[in-house]
Amino acid sequence: MGELMSKFMTLEDHFARLHPVRPEHDAARLLWQDRLAPELTTMEEERKAVIKRATMHTVATAAFIVALVFAAIIAFGFEAIFPFGIFAGIVGIFIACAAVWMPVFSMKSQTKQLVVGAACEPFGFTYSTLHQDLSGVSSLRSLGSWVNANKSAVFSKGNEPPTPAFERLKTVGLMPSYDSRKFEDLIEGVRADAAFTMVECKLTEQQGSGKNRRTVTKFQGLLLNIEYPERFLGRTLLARDGWWSWGRKNGMQQVQLVSKELEDAFTVYSTDQVEARTLLTPDRMERLIALERHFKGSKLRGVFEEGHLTIALEADNQFEAGSIFKPLIDPARYVETLTEIGLICDLIDGFLTRDWYKDKI
């Protein structure tokens, strides 16, 4: 129903859904009209062609391998082929078709870079998907050449953190154990005279052994680091319940918040009780809750220390800019990203200024 309504909405209808209205939205609207929409229109024809080519190749390959499997069944009997021969056929289809779908995924990455990057621009922020460039891969041979040229990236257990948030949260015990890490969707900028970075992070760990060995996702969500103009006097940790062994072991004391509702929602430990209560006022805590609510996140936690506020929020993939299997020229993709960026601005404004917009929550 929502997609059907979006199809008949005008650009003004889409922008009317943005709340609150921000000064940056006028520039964002012009950017869509003058640059983003024309570029997406050009890419739309290419998108259709790339998906059609990949689909036709997959169908043809699948038909050929299925025919081979049936021929083998006729020649050697069903019992001789099942189940390993059928499984081998499925794997063969996957391997033979993997490379031809690379241009589709490459275009998805390019679309995300274009849409999210454009949404960041009116705010003065920059964006990078942090994805590997797969634009030259379209066959098994080119895929092999790409893997050979990018061995370190392909076989690495994780790229370097593009933000100090990861190490800062890890140091104070607010990140879980892991053996592989991945970062994508980096947003950087300055807001209220404070530099910030935000990135998506995924941590995985191999657990079990033998047949029970499996990959478990230990963390997936957003990491946000805001550099304060002044240093904090103490160290303050806040979180939903369940992250307090580190604080207790390091001589920190629990902070009693002024709001009973917020105290039930968060647990706070600090080395400076007065500073913690000054920082975590009800209106500022509401900024955190609004961020968590919009991203459908959970287990929000963070640390105020030295000159930074660093936050982790567990959530599904964000900043996806829509599906590559749907038309690219959809303002809803762009407007949703503007909304998400606006929430980041709200949080920074709420902690660093007293001049944030009204009626956010």
Side-chain angles (χ1 to χ4, degrees):
M1 184 67 178
E3 292 181 9
L4 184 62
M5 290 179 60
S6 178
K7 184 177 180 180
F8 295 101
M9 290 173 64
T10 66
L11 180 63
E12 293 305 317
D13 291 334
H14 282 287
F15 271 85
R17 299 174 68 181
L18 284 169
H19 180 76
V21 176
R22 303 175 188 276
E24 295 87 356
H25 290 168
D26 288 337
R29 184 185 289 103
L30 289 174
L31 195 153
W32 170 269
Q33 294 172 326
D34 297 342
R35 194 178 80 202
L36 190 55
E39 288 190 41
L40 290 174
T41 300
T42 301
M43 292 178 66
E44 177 63 15
E45 292 305 314
E46 183 183 355
R47 180 192 73 88
K48 292 177 181 177
V50 166
I51 292 177
K52 181 179 179 180
R53 186 161 54 248
T55 302
M56 291 179 65
H57 184 280
T58 301
V59 171
T61 302
F64 176 73
I65 292 179
V66 168
L68 286 180
V69 171
F70 270 106
I73 291 174
I74 293 171
F76 303 104
F78 182 78
E79 291 78 6
I81 300 300
F82 182 83
F84 299 108
I86 294 175
F87 177 74
I90 294 172
V91 172
I93 293 172
F94 177 80
I95 293 174
C97 297
V100 298
W101 283 96
M102 288 297 180
V104 177
F105 300 124
S106 178
M107 175 164 279
K108 178 178 174 62
S109 179
Q110 293 169 22
T111 303
K112 182 194 283 192
Q113 180 67 53
L114 183 63
V115 173
V116 181
C120 286
E121 194 172 315
F123 295 89
F125 307 155
T126 60
Y127 168 77
S128 173
T129 62
L130 301 182
H131 292 169
Q132 295 289 331
D133 183 8
L134 295 169
S135 57
V137 177
S138 59
S139 65
L140 285 175
R141 177 175 294 181
S142 58
L143 177 60
S145 299
W146 184 90
V147 170
N148 188 56
N150 295 273
K151 287 180 180 178
S152 59
V154 173
F155 299 106
S156 170
K157 285 196 172 183
N159 46 343
E160 287 301 309
T163 166
F166 181 78
E167 292 298 335
R168 286 171 173 173
L169 290 163
K170 182 180 174 183
T171 298
V172 296
L174 294 180
M175 296 299 285
S177 62
Y178 69 96
D179 53 30
S180 181
R181 65 191 185 190
K182 178 185 177 183
F183 300 96
E184 64 177 359
D185 297 332
L186 173 66
I187 295 177
E188 300 177 282
V190 175
R191 179 77 178 183
D193 296 324
F196 79 92
T197 55
M198 188 176 77
V199 71
E200 283 195 51
C201 171
K202 183 174 183 179
L203 306 178
T204 59
E205 186 175 71
Q206 293 293 316
Q207 296 183 355
S209 59
K211 293 181 179 179
N212 295 322
R213 190 164 180 79
R214 64 197 186 282
T215 300
V216 177
T217 298
K218 300 298 294 291
F219 176 88
Q220 180 168 327
L222 300 171
L223 306 181
L224 173 64
N225 187 80
I226 305 168
E227 299 293 340
Y228 260 68
E230 298 178 0
R231 293 174 65 88
F232 299 118
L233 300 176
R235 170 189 278 159
T236 298
L237 305 182
L238 78 156
R240 300 297 193 180
D241 289 338
W243 288 92
W244 297 115
S245 61
W246 193 94
R248 293 193 185 101
K249 290 177 183 177
N250 288 271
M252 304 179 76
Q253 295 182 338
Q254 188 168 354
V255 178
Q256 303 299 314
L257 298 176
V258 295
S259 165
K260 180 66 168 62
E261 181 181 351
L262 292 175
E263 193 166 295
D264 291 340
F266 289 94
T267 303
V268 179
Y269 273 71
S270 181
T271 59
D272 190 318
Q273 298 279 311
V274 175
E275 182 179 65
R277 279 190 285 269
T278 301
L279 286 169
L280 298 174
T281 58
D283 49 8
R284 285 171 169 172
M285 297 291 277
E286 286 293 339
R287 302 301 109 189
L288 296 172
I289 293 172
L291 192 74
E292 186 180 60
R293 183 187 303 136
H294 179 84
F295 287 114
K296 298 180 176 63
S298 63
K299 300 180 182 178
L300 186 147
R301 60 244 193 210
V303 55
F304 296 81
E305 186 176 25
E306 297 179 345
H308 64 85
L309 162 59
T310 307
I311 292 171
L313 172 63
E314 297 194 21
D316 293 334
N317 281 342
Q318 305 297 327
F319 304 105
E320 288 304 298
S323 170
I324 192 64
F325 297 101
K326 296 179 181 179
L328 301 180
I329 314 161
D330 181 3
R333 300 169 179 253
Y334 185 54
V335 169
E336 177 64 17
T337 306
L338 289 171
T339 300
E340 293 169 348
I341 293 171
L343 281 166
I344 301 167
C345 294
D346 289 347
L347 181 66
I348 298 173
D349 292 345
F351 275 93
L352 288 169
T353 76
R354 305 301 299 179
D355 302 319
W356 56 81
Y357 299 99
K358 296 179 180 179
D359 303 322
K360 290 281 186 12
I361 306 299

